[in-house]
Amino acid sequence: MTKHSKSRLARVLAGAALTAAAATVDASVIVLDFEGVGNNANINDFYNGGTDSLGNSGVDYGIQFGSNSLGLVDQDAGGGGNFANEPSSDTVMFFLTGTAVLNYTPGFDTGFSFFYSSSTTASVFVYDGLNATGNLLATLNLSAQHTDNCSGDPTGTFCNWTAVGASFAGTAYSIDFGGTVDQTGYDDITFGSADAGGVKVAEPSGLALLLMSLGPLAFSRARRKAQRRVA
Ligand SMILES: [Ca+2]
Ligand SMILES: [Ca+2]
Ligand SMILES: [Ca+2]
């Protein structure tokens, strides 16, 4: 085999490994990471074709947040958040006052999940009507785990983030986060999957492991060759 065909093979194998890794993410799954929402901003229509209360806008998913849901940026990133190790840096969602209901007008099915860090036990409810009405489709129970086995990044008390999720039948239109006001942070809120972040954690197959181990090796060889040329 020539050097050129070896390098082409490496590219093909690396591409195949990437495809295999991405195959576990369902295209119908939506993950809200809250990155771009302002510190202490009302999320409002950030994900609904409009803006948060500070004028920031995100992807239009048709998801409307009640005025009580706020973005919070980590103190270590210049915001006011007392948290660490959040699953997607550096912004999370929390509720400061009142009811905490999220409406998803297009509706979603299959499952609902998120990461949370909480100083209180609480429950989150999924309904098949808007504004927490209709039938209860799923209940997600939260434990008080915010300081368990962790430290800041470099600072932040709410440092333990746990994935929780539930599968359900039917179509959901709203979520009630009630009972978690000012005690719980949320991140990577996931619609359409019981696996937070939309990624099912699975052991790579033998073939995928082989492809992944071949790819970087081949690339480093190509890089060394390029470096020799430059030098
Ligand atoms: Ca952080
Ligand atoms: Ca922090
Ligand atoms: Ca985030």
Side-chain angles (χ1 to χ4, degrees), residues 78-137:
N82 179 24
F83 56 81
N85 309 316
E86 62 279 15
S88 54
S89 301
D90 302 292
T91 309
V92 306
M93 177 185 79
F94 81 118
F95 301 97
L96 201 50
T97 56
T99 57
V101 173
L102 184 160
N103 285 319
Y104 187 176
T105 310
F108 65 100
D109 56 21
T110 307
F112 179 67
S113 50
F114 51 77
F115 286 85
Y116 74 94
S117 184
S118 184
S119 61
T120 182
T121 57
S123 294
V124 172
F125 306 101
V126 180
Y127 290 93
D128 70 357
L130 290 170
N131 299 308
T133 62
N135 299 303
L136 179 64
L137 298 181

Side-chain angles (χ1 to χ4, degrees), residues 31-35 83 85-92 115 161 186-189:
V31 180
L32 305 187
D33 63 14
F34 302 104
E35 302 310 309
F83 56 81
N85 309 316
E86 62 279 15
S88 54
S89 301
D90 302 292
T91 309
V92 306
F115 286 85
W161 293 80
Y186 299 90
D187 207 357
D188 290 7
I189 289 186

Side-chain angles (χ1 to χ4, degrees), residues 4-20 211-212 214-215 218-219:
H4 280 297
S5 62
K6 263 188 193 165
S7 131
R8 186 157 166 258
L9 174 64
R11 280 199 300 272
V12 170
L13 289 175
L18 283 175
T19 305
L211 293 175
M212 280 185 271
L214 275 175
F219 279 125

Side-chain angles (χ1 to χ4, degrees), residues 109-185:
D109 56 21
T110 307
F112 179 67
S113 50
F114 51 77
F115 286 85
Y116 74 94
S117 184
S118 184
S119 61
T120 182
T121 57
S123 294
V124 172
F125 306 101
V126 180
Y127 290 93
D128 70 357
L130 290 170
N131 299 308
T133 62
N135 299 303
L136 179 64
L137 298 181
T139 302
L140 291 79
N141 294 313
L142 315 187
S143 60
Q145 41 61 294
H146 70 307
T147 59
D148 289 355
N149 305 314
C150 59
S151 57
D153 69 345
T155 65
T157 302
F158 286 70
C159 55
N160 181 26
W161 293 80
T162 303
V164 63
S167 298
F168 58 83
T171 303
Y173 290 94
S174 64
I175 297 129
D176 182 359
F177 290 92
T180 65
V181 166
D182 204 20
Q183 304 293 322
T184 306

Side-chain angles (χ1 to χ4, degrees), residues 18-110:
L18 283 175
T19 305
T24 52
V25 181
D26 188 328
S28 66
V29 173
I30 291 174
V31 180
L32 305 187
D33 63 14
F34 302 104
E35 302 310 309
V37 178
N39 186 57
N40 279 319
N42 304 85
I43 299 172
N44 294 349
D45 292 314
F46 181 88
Y47 289 115
N48 195 31
T51 68
D52 68 14
S53 61
L54 294 176
N56 305 297
S57 59
V59 177
D60 181 3
Y61 291 119
I63 301 172
Q64 180 193 36
F65 286 81
S67 58
N68 294 322
S69 50
L70 307 175
L72 187 63
V73 177
D74 190 354
Q75 274 170 4
D76 296 311
N82 179 24
F83 56 81
N85 309 316
E86 62 279 15
S88 54
S89 301
D90 302 292
T91 309
V92 306
M93 177 185 79
F94 81 118
F95 301 97
L96 201 50
T97 56
T99 57
V101 173
L102 184 160
N103 285 319
Y104 187 176
T105 310
F108 65 100
D109 56 21
T110 307

